[in-house]
Amino acid sequence: MTCPPDYHVHTRFSCDSKTEIATACEAALAQGLCDIGFSDHADFEPLDDCCGYLRPAVYRAEIERCRRKYDSHLTIRAGVEIGEGHVYQEQAAALLETCEFDFVLGSLHWVGGYPVFDGRYFAGRTLEEGLQAYFEELERLAAQADYDVLAHFDIVRRAAYGCFGLTALDYAPYEETIRRILRTLVERGKGLEINTATYRRGMGVPNPPLQVLRWYRELGGEVLTFGSDAHTVGSIGSGFDVAREMAQAAGFTRLATFERRRIHWIRI
């Protein structure tokens, strides 16, 4: 695979990025990518700074403009990252009915009124209590939300890193719950993302770790994507050499790409 696609890129249409879509396209080409998927946040949690920030029509219009500009040089996919889609099912359904996307990332950012990506999540919780609550909520999202790929499976590692300084976590005590989540993905035909943000942040390997990737593959999981979770152009496509090694070690031979929420395959 000479040009792996990056299916998790944020732009100024997310409240936490200032990147222009055209600038991201230039960076993707410079990195040797042939396919980029934008996945700006659609958040409905009132506590989230990005709640209600996305302007879908303007976002899609800018993607279409860049598609015309880059034409044969770069395949551009219009995606969206929906947070807590199992909680805000009506809002998510309304968005997906009014705006056509190529792929939808399902994300869990909030559990019990706390953001799972920073140390505040573990306030008043032990590490074990926090992880159990996170995976139980992720199980509900996996079963109930409308998405194509489950993003940053264990983003809770960021909170564990911020609170306890941990770069690696032992998921063996939660294997039963995690396997149920992965089995749900397989049964629903949903994918899993190798997200390289944790690797880029110095937190060891991308997420999920190889252990979880192997469980997913053992259960029959096939739909896999790479995502940098880039919010700046310098992060686009970063860590994909490591992601490729992990994917191959887990037994994957191909990656999924999407067009109008239909899967196509490329070899790793």
Side-chain angles (χ1 to χ4, degrees):
M1 182 175 60
T2 57
C3 50
D6 190 340
Y7 265 37
H8 197 148
V9 176
H10 294 282
T11 74
R12 66 180 178 86
F13 291 96
S14 292
C15 76
D16 52 2
S17 175
K18 297 181 180 180
T19 300
E20 295 287 345
I21 290 178
T23 306
C25 290
E26 293 288 348
L29 288 171
Q31 285 292 326
L33 273 64
C34 58
D35 191 335
I36 186 171
F38 294 103
S39 56
D40 280 301
H41 291 292
D43 289 305
F44 307 104
E45 166 57 55
L47 295 173
D48 198 303
D49 291 340
C50 283
C51 181
Y53 189 87
L54 181 67
R55 295 173 292 158
V58 183
Y59 172 51
R60 282 304 314 270
E62 180 61 11
I63 287 176
E64 292 302 326
R65 187 187 74 81
C66 287
R67 279 176 168 165
R68 293 190 296 271
K69 178 178 179 179
Y70 293 97
D71 194 19
S72 61
H73 301 290
L74 182 69
T75 298
I76 300 173
R77 306 298 185 186
V80 65
E81 180 180 3
I82 297 180
E84 294 73 57
H86 63 307
V87 177
Y88 301 101
Q89 290 183 343
E90 291 185 7
Q91 295 92 326
L95 171 65
L96 296 178
E97 286 174 5
T98 57
C99 194
E100 184 178 73
F101 294 101
D102 290 308
F103 68 98
V104 177
L105 297 182
S107 293
L108 183 60
H109 295 135
W110 294 82
V111 174
Y114 291 93
V116 299
F117 42 80
D118 69 34
R120 288 177 292 168
Y121 174 69
F122 285 103
R125 287 188 176 111
T126 64
L127 176 63
E128 292 74 19
E129 290 170 341
L131 292 179
Q132 187 63 48
Y134 173 81
F135 285 123
E136 288 175 355
E137 192 68 28
L138 190 63
E139 183 177 6
R140 287 187 279 272
L141 185 152
Q144 299 170 21
D146 184 359
Y147 61 95
D148 299 304
V149 176
L150 190 61
H152 44 56
F153 184 90
D154 56 340
I155 191 175
V156 71
R157 278 172 55 198
R158 297 189 198 179
Y161 177 71
C163 192
F164 303 106
L166 299 174
T167 58
L169 299 174
D170 179 15
Y171 290 152
Y174 316 98
E175 180 176 353
E176 184 177 343
T177 303
I178 291 174
R179 282 185 176 271
R180 284 199 303 268
I181 297 169
L182 300 174
R183 191 174 294 110
T184 294
L185 297 184
V186 174
E187 291 173 351
R188 296 188 67 195
K190 306 301 182 184
L192 191 62
E193 170 194 72
I194 297 182
N195 186 298
T196 59
T198 47
Y199 176 76
R200 186 169 64 250
R201 294 165 184 248
M203 297 166 54
V205 299
N207 75 54
L210 182 58
Q211 178 186 45
V212 173
L213 288 175
R214 282 176 169 158
W215 287 343
Y216 176 58
R217 190 73 190 96
E218 288 168 7
L219 290 166
E222 295 183 306
V223 183
L224 188 71
T225 62
F226 291 174
S228 64
D229 210 341
H231 289 71
T232 61
V233 293
S235 298
I236 293 173
S238 67
F240 279 14
D241 53 340
V242 176
R244 182 188 293 110
E245 292 173 1
M246 289 176 62
Q248 292 173 332
F252 291 92
T253 60
R254 60 186 185 176
L255 294 178
T257 64
F258 290 85
E259 183 177 7
R260 296 182 179 180
R261 303 193 70 181
R262 292 183 180 274
I263 297 175
H264 304 275
W265 303 99
I266 61 172
R267 301 288 296 181
I268 294 179

Short mmCIF file of all heavy atoms in Angstrom, two decimals, residues 69 84 94 136 162 213 242:
data_model
loop_
_atom_site.label_atom_id
_atom_site.label_comp_id
_atom_site.label_asym_id
_atom_site.label_seq_id
_atom_site.Cartn_x
_atom_site.Cartn_y
_atom_site.Cartn_z
N LYS A 69 -11.19 21.17 -7.22
CA LYS A 69 -9.85 21.73 -7.34
C LYS A 69 -8.78 20.65 -7.48
O LYS A 69 -7.86 20.78 -8.31
CB LYS A 69 -9.55 22.60 -6.11
CG LYS A 69 -8.15 23.20 -6.11
CD LYS A 69 -7.93 24.08 -4.89
CE LYS A 69 -6.53 24.67 -4.88
NZ LYS A 69 -6.28 25.55 -3.70
N GLU A 84 -21.51 10.48 20.92
CA GLU A 84 -22.63 9.96 21.72
C GLU A 84 -23.89 9.76 20.87
O GLU A 84 -25.00 10.16 21.23
CB GLU A 84 -22.96 10.88 22.90
CG GLU A 84 -21.87 10.96 23.97
CD GLU A 84 -20.67 11.78 23.50
OE1 GLU A 84 -20.86 12.95 23.13
OE2 GLU A 84 -19.55 11.24 23.50
N ALA A 94 -31.38 13.15 12.22
CA ALA A 94 -31.77 14.35 11.46
C ALA A 94 -30.59 14.84 10.63
O ALA A 94 -30.76 15.23 9.46
CB ALA A 94 -32.25 15.44 12.40
N GLU A 136 -18.52 0.04 29.46
CA GLU A 136 -19.96 -0.24 29.51
C GLU A 136 -20.73 0.75 28.65
O GLU A 136 -21.68 0.39 27.94
CB GLU A 136 -20.46 -0.21 30.95
CG GLU A 136 -20.00 -1.41 31.77
CD GLU A 136 -20.41 -1.32 33.22
OE1 GLU A 136 -20.98 -0.26 33.62
OE2 GLU A 136 -20.18 -2.29 33.97
N GLY A 162 -3.32 11.45 31.63
CA GLY A 162 -3.32 12.74 32.29
C GLY A 162 -3.44 12.65 33.79
O GLY A 162 -2.87 13.47 34.52
N LEU A 213 -7.00 -5.29 18.73
CA LEU A 213 -7.08 -5.56 17.29
C LEU A 213 -7.15 -7.06 17.02
O LEU A 213 -7.91 -7.52 16.16
CB LEU A 213 -5.89 -4.97 16.56
CG LEU A 213 -5.84 -3.44 16.41
CD1 LEU A 213 -4.52 -3.03 15.76
CD2 LEU A 213 -7.01 -2.94 15.58
N VAL A 242 3.45 2.73 11.78
CA VAL A 242 3.19 1.91 12.97
C VAL A 242 1.82 1.27 12.87
O VAL A 242 1.63 0.09 13.21
CB VAL A 242 3.30 2.76 14.26
CG1 VAL A 242 2.94 1.94 15.48
CG2 VAL A 242 4.70 3.34 14.39
#
